[in-house]
mmCIF file of all heavy atoms in Angstrom:
data_model
loop_
_atom_site.group_PDB
_atom_site.id
_atom_site.type_symbol
_atom_site.label_atom_id
_atom_site.label_comp_id
_atom_site.label_asym_id
_atom_site.label_seq_id
_atom_site.Cartn_x
_atom_site.Cartn_y
_atom_site.Cartn_z
ATOM 1 N N SER B 834 140.989 53.983 158.062
ATOM 2 C CA SER B 834 141.933 53.280 157.192
ATOM 3 C C SER B 834 143.019 54.218 156.666
ATOM 4 O O SER B 834 144.044 53.772 156.178
ATOM 5 C CB SER B 834 141.181 52.651 156.016
ATOM 6 O OG SER B 834 140.801 53.642 155.082
ATOM 7 N N ARG B 835 142.783 55.507 156.766
ATOM 8 C CA ARG B 835 143.797 56.460 156.310
ATOM 9 C C ARG B 835 144.676 56.973 157.475
ATOM 10 O O ARG B 835 145.564 57.796 157.268
ATOM 11 C CB ARG B 835 143.143 57.646 155.617
ATOM 12 C CG ARG B 835 142.342 57.327 154.359
ATOM 13 C CD ARG B 835 143.208 57.026 153.152
ATOM 14 N NE ARG B 835 144.267 57.991 152.952
ATOM 15 C CZ ARG B 835 144.122 59.108 152.270
ATOM 16 N NH1 ARG B 835 142.964 59.387 151.705
ATOM 17 N NH2 ARG B 835 145.116 59.954 152.118
ATOM 18 N N ALA B 836 144.375 56.517 158.678
ATOM 19 C CA ALA B 836 145.128 57.014 159.837
ATOM 20 C C ALA B 836 146.514 56.387 159.878
ATOM 21 O O ALA B 836 146.685 55.240 159.478
ATOM 22 C CB ALA B 836 144.362 56.699 161.122
ATOM 23 N N PRO B 837 147.499 57.139 160.343
ATOM 24 C CA PRO B 837 148.840 56.545 160.467
ATOM 25 C C PRO B 837 148.877 55.576 161.649
ATOM 26 O O PRO B 837 148.020 55.625 162.517
ATOM 27 C CB PRO B 837 149.732 57.753 160.736
ATOM 28 C CG PRO B 837 148.845 58.762 161.372
ATOM 29 C CD PRO B 837 147.447 58.522 160.829
ATOM 30 N N ARG B 838 149.883 54.699 161.628
ATOM 31 C CA ARG B 838 150.106 53.892 162.819
ATOM 32 C C ARG B 838 150.703 54.815 163.872
ATOM 33 O O ARG B 838 151.423 55.747 163.546
ATOM 34 C CB ARG B 838 151.106 52.777 162.492
ATOM 35 C CG ARG B 838 150.414 51.564 161.924
ATOM 36 C CD ARG B 838 151.235 50.323 162.179
ATOM 37 N NE ARG B 838 152.452 50.330 161.367
ATOM 38 C CZ ARG B 838 153.476 49.511 161.574
ATOM 39 N NH1 ARG B 838 153.446 48.633 162.559
ATOM 40 N NH2 ARG B 838 154.539 49.560 160.797
ATOM 41 N N PRO B 839 150.426 54.560 165.142
ATOM 42 C CA PRO B 839 151.038 55.414 166.173
ATOM 43 C C PRO B 839 152.544 55.456 165.967
ATOM 44 O O PRO B 839 153.184 54.426 165.835
ATOM 45 C CB PRO B 839 150.661 54.717 167.475
ATOM 46 C CG PRO B 839 149.420 53.947 167.164
ATOM 47 C CD PRO B 839 149.553 53.537 165.712
ATOM 48 N N PHE B 840 153.079 56.659 165.897
ATOM 49 C CA PHE B 840 154.502 56.761 165.542
ATOM 50 C C PHE B 840 155.247 57.703 166.464
ATOM 51 O O PHE B 840 154.639 58.478 167.197
ATOM 52 C CB PHE B 840 154.634 57.251 164.093
ATOM 53 C CG PHE B 840 154.128 58.657 163.873
ATOM 54 C CD1 PHE B 840 154.922 59.762 164.177
ATOM 55 C CD2 PHE B 840 152.848 58.873 163.358
ATOM 56 C CE1 PHE B 840 154.448 61.049 163.970
ATOM 57 C CE2 PHE B 840 152.376 60.154 163.146
ATOM 58 C CZ PHE B 840 153.185 61.250 163.460
ATOM 59 N N ILE B 841 156.525 57.572 166.419
ATOM 60 C CA ILE B 841 157.392 58.577 167.028
ATOM 61 C C ILE B 841 158.347 59.047 165.950
ATOM 62 O O ILE B 841 158.975 58.256 165.262
ATOM 63 C CB ILE B 841 158.124 58.046 168.289
ATOM 64 C CG1 ILE B 841 159.034 59.141 168.858
ATOM 65 C CG2 ILE B 841 158.966 56.789 167.971
ATOM 66 C CD1 ILE B 841 159.049 59.158 170.364
ATOM 67 N N ALA B 842 158.380 60.354 165.766
ATOM 68 C CA ALA B 842 159.221 60.923 164.716
ATOM 69 C C ALA B 842 160.546 61.373 165.329
ATOM 70 O O ALA B 842 160.566 62.054 166.356
ATOM 71 C CB ALA B 842 158.505 62.107 164.072
ATOM 72 N N LEU B 843 161.629 60.953 164.690
ATOM 73 C CA LEU B 843 162.967 61.265 165.222
ATOM 74 C C LEU B 843 163.861 61.764 164.099
ATOM 75 O O LEU B 843 163.673 61.409 162.935
ATOM 76 C CB LEU B 843 163.612 59.981 165.765
ATOM 77 C CG LEU B 843 162.976 59.315 166.960
ATOM 78 C CD1 LEU B 843 163.654 57.983 167.214
ATOM 79 C CD2 LEU B 843 163.081 60.214 168.183
ATOM 80 N N ASN B 844 164.818 62.562 164.461
ATOM 81 C CA ASN B 844 165.796 62.933 163.438
ATOM 82 C C ASN B 844 166.923 61.890 163.369
ATOM 83 O O ASN B 844 166.975 60.978 164.189
ATOM 84 C CB ASN B 844 166.315 64.354 163.635
ATOM 85 C CG ASN B 844 167.321 64.437 164.760
ATOM 86 O OD1 ASN B 844 167.806 63.423 165.244
ATOM 87 N ND2 ASN B 844 167.628 65.651 165.176
ATOM 88 N N ALA B 845 167.776 62.064 162.364
ATOM 89 C CA ALA B 845 168.774 61.038 162.082
ATOM 90 C C ALA B 845 169.636 60.725 163.309
ATOM 91 O O ALA B 845 169.852 59.561 163.659
ATOM 92 C CB ALA B 845 169.647 61.491 160.925
ATOM 93 N N LEU B 846 170.090 61.797 163.940
ATOM 94 C CA LEU B 846 171.059 61.605 165.014
ATOM 95 C C LEU B 846 170.450 60.864 166.198
ATOM 96 O O LEU B 846 171.014 59.920 166.725
ATOM 97 C CB LEU B 846 171.595 62.963 165.450
ATOM 98 C CG LEU B 846 173.016 62.866 165.961
ATOM 99 C CD1 LEU B 846 173.989 63.129 164.847
ATOM 100 C CD2 LEU B 846 173.200 63.789 167.147
#
Side-chain angles (χ1 to χ4, degrees):
Chain B
S834 74
R835 298 285 313 273
R838 273 205 290 167
F840 65 82
I841 179 142
L843 295 172
N844 76 13
L846 210 93

